[in-house]
Amino acid sequence: MNAKDTTATTRPVTRQTYDEVLVPTYAPAAMVPVRGSGLDLWDQNGKHYLDFTSGIAVNSLGHCNPIVVEALTRQANTLWHLGNGYTNEPVLRLGLALTEATFADRAFFCNSGAEANEAALKLARKYAHAKFGPHKSRIVSCLQSFHGRTLFTVSVGGQSKYTEGFEPLPPSIDHIVYNDIEAARAAITDDVCAVIVEPLQGEGGVVPGDQAYLQALRDLCDQTGAVLIFDEVQCGMGRTGDLFHYMTYGITPDVLTSAKALGNGYPVAAMLTTHELAATLNVGSHGTTYGGNPLAATVALTVLETINQPEFLARVKQAGDKLRATMEQLIADYPQVFTLVRGAGLLLGMVVTDAWKGRSKDIQKAAEANGLMVLIAGMDVLRLAPALIVTDEQIAEADRILRLSIDGLLKA
């Protein structure tokens, strides 16, 4: 039978199919996952994996969480989508819940972290233009930051490897060294409309922001009238043990962006801000077709209500402490491979030694072969971001597999 005559939904596909029909923007693993439950995942061959990636800090409640599945199924049988000439009950409830749980007065919903950051940066530019004039348009970001893949957000992100070949890039964007207060003071002058920062850099190597540095950014923005944007796409939604990481520092931004874990795998994102700034985006000035539709809003509200409980967040902190202590012991036992662990909560990075520079991918592949899925953050950092429901037993199992994998590499 000709392949085109088979039913599309049941047609056999393999990893090779990716190379044949999809744009090669990724280099996915050889195995193809087909089923998940909690932190457990199975591939096409029935092999089991312990997932310590949670879809790059997305599936914080685990795969196929029954509470989220029930909410999505209920809404799927009620109302899917409306044009933005209408609002809907789920998005109104989600907006109320997020503003009640944070510093924010207003929310804008979209579909991805890039879109949330795009909205935040457009808001900052428009606000500065209206309040101060067109001269106040410069954006300050950090080197090694990551804010999305649109042309605007990838230009604001401080990694040239993501902008090469896409020039000319949007102008009036400058990058400074992360955690360098003097660099911030030199860069943030009266012509700056926005400072955007990850309070915990993810893709840049799992690097925590210093308390004094983030406070200096807040102070400099207050002095110059710039908008302070915290990108919490990866580190927010309970990942570090607080609902959002700005709460850990006690430093409040003017705008906060959230995505990834907000939908536990369903595409949804939010830009949160104040009444004053929100008023800048009047009717017709910005928009999105799918953002905040009933399906996405229902899922996000369910995730938010599940995570934003004192007991849940306390367990995240406890699990984060357990994971850090476990990884510190692993580092002590393998000093030739790792130098330190950094990060916060359940977003940790293990930095390799000079002798292992460029080999974090080798460790990742070895772990996967032994049934553990982990991430990298550049070629020198192994990144761990398990679901927030991870157990102590699963942390111990991840440790066992990592040790097995490293032993294998050392013997090779």
Side-chain angles (χ1 to χ4, degrees):
M1 181 183 292
N2 189 295
K4 291 186 180 295
D5 296 330
T6 62
T7 302
T9 55
T10 59
R11 180 185 302 169
V13 291
T14 66
R15 170 61 180 80
Q16 184 179 345
T17 310
Y18 178 94
D19 297 329
E20 295 170 350
V21 300
L22 297 185
V23 176
T25 52
Y26 304 105
M31 65 91 165
V32 179
V34 295
R35 183 168 62 91
S37 176
L39 278 79
D40 297 308
L41 209 66
W42 292 266
D43 69 12
Q44 287 180 320
N45 298 318
K47 181 177 177 179
H48 170 263
Y49 299 84
L50 179 60
D51 183 2
F52 262 52
T53 73
S54 59
I56 315 183
V58 170
N59 303 316
S60 287
L61 298 180
H63 296 281
C64 300
N65 184 286
I67 298 173
V68 181
V69 170
E70 189 280 327
L72 177 58
T73 303
R74 174 170 29 89
Q75 188 60 45
N77 286 301
T78 306
L79 183 66
W80 279 40
H81 181 73
L82 295 161
N84 50 28
Y86 306 88
T87 190
N88 63 81
E89 291 184 344
V91 80
L92 297 175
R93 294 188 181 106
L94 177 60
L96 283 170
L98 277 169
T99 53
E100 288 169 357
T102 67
F103 72 92
D105 306 309
R106 299 283 182 140
F108 171 81
F109 295 106
C110 44
N111 312 290
S112 68
E115 288 176 76
N117 284 327
E118 184 96 8
L121 294 163
K122 286 178 68 177
L123 168 62
R125 279 248 173 106
K126 198 166 190 296
Y127 173 77
H129 189 280
K131 186 170 183 177
F132 300 101
H135 71 282
K136 194 174 183 64
S137 61
R138 193 159 58 88
I139 294 167
V140 173
S141 178
C142 295
L143 294 167
Q144 297 306 116
S145 63
F146 186 87
H147 300 295
R149 293 292 194 125
T150 66
L151 189 60
F152 193 6
T153 57
V154 82
S155 301
V156 172
Q159 301 188 56
S160 60
K161 64 183 179 182
Y162 294 131
T163 59
E164 290 172 0
F166 296 107
E167 299 86 354
L169 304 176
S172 299
I173 300 169
D174 292 323
H175 300 92
I176 59 176
V177 174
Y178 192 63
N179 281 331
D180 187 329
I181 294 176
E182 290 309 311
R185 286 177 177 151
I188 302 170
T189 51
D190 287 339
D191 63 336
V192 171
C193 70
V195 176
I196 184 169
V197 64
E198 299 161 274
L200 170 57
Q201 283 193 336
E203 303 298 319
V206 194
V207 183
D210 294 335
Q211 176 83 28
Y213 176 71
L214 296 175
Q215 185 61 58
L217 295 183
R218 176 69 278 173
D219 294 343
L220 288 163
C221 286
D222 289 341
Q223 293 165 19
T224 61
V227 171
L228 178 61
I229 303 168
F230 272 14
D231 178 343
E232 296 213 25
V233 168
Q234 185 164 168
C235 68
M237 284 302 293
R239 175 59 54 182
T240 64
D242 289 301
L243 181 61
F244 288 105
H245 202 32
Y246 82 86
M247 298 170 175
T248 307
Y249 291 96
I251 299 169
T252 304
D254 301 301
V255 181
L256 181 143
T257 55
S258 176
K260 287 188 180 290
L262 182 61
N264 203 63
Y266 196 99
V268 61
M271 178 193 72
L272 305 177
T273 190
T274 63
H275 282 307
E276 181 184 3
L277 269 69
T280 306
L281 291 181
N282 53 357
V283 174
S285 62
H286 191 59
T288 167
T289 295
Y290 294 108
N293 78 18
L295 288 171
T298 296
V299 170
L301 181 58
T302 302
V303 173
L304 175 64
E305 289 183 326
T306 302
I307 291 176
N308 193 28
Q309 299 293 333
E311 300 84 2
F312 188 98
L313 292 169
R315 168 56 196 167
V316 173
K317 291 179 181 178
Q318 183 185 55
D321 290 343
K322 177 71 173 179
L323 181 60
R324 180 182 288 271
T326 301
M327 292 302 103
E328 285 175 345
Q329 184 58 56
L330 186 146
I331 289 170
D333 293 340
Y334 293 89
Q336 70 273 51
V337 179
F338 296 110
T339 61
L340 76 152
V341 59
R342 63 192 180 201
L346 289 171
L347 180 56
L348 299 180
M350 299 176 67
V351 184
V352 300
T353 61
D354 288 343
W356 280 72
K357 280 201 174 297
R359 296 195 63 189
S360 63
K361 189 73 175 177
D362 294 340
I363 302 171
Q364 179 193 37
K365 288 181 176 179
E368 182 187 290
N370 288 314
L372 175 67
M373 296 164 60
V374 293
L375 297 161
I376 60 173
M379 299 311 294
D380 302 326
V381 179
L382 194 72
R383 180 172 29 159
L384 306 177
L388 306 186
I389 59 172
V390 64
T391 65
D392 288 356
E393 292 76 18
Q394 288 168 327
I395 290 172
E397 177 65 2
D399 178 52
R400 183 191 69 80
I401 297 175
L402 272 176
R403 289 170 180 270
L404 174 68
S405 305
I406 295 166
D407 285 342
L409 289 171
L410 290 172
K411 291 175 185 177

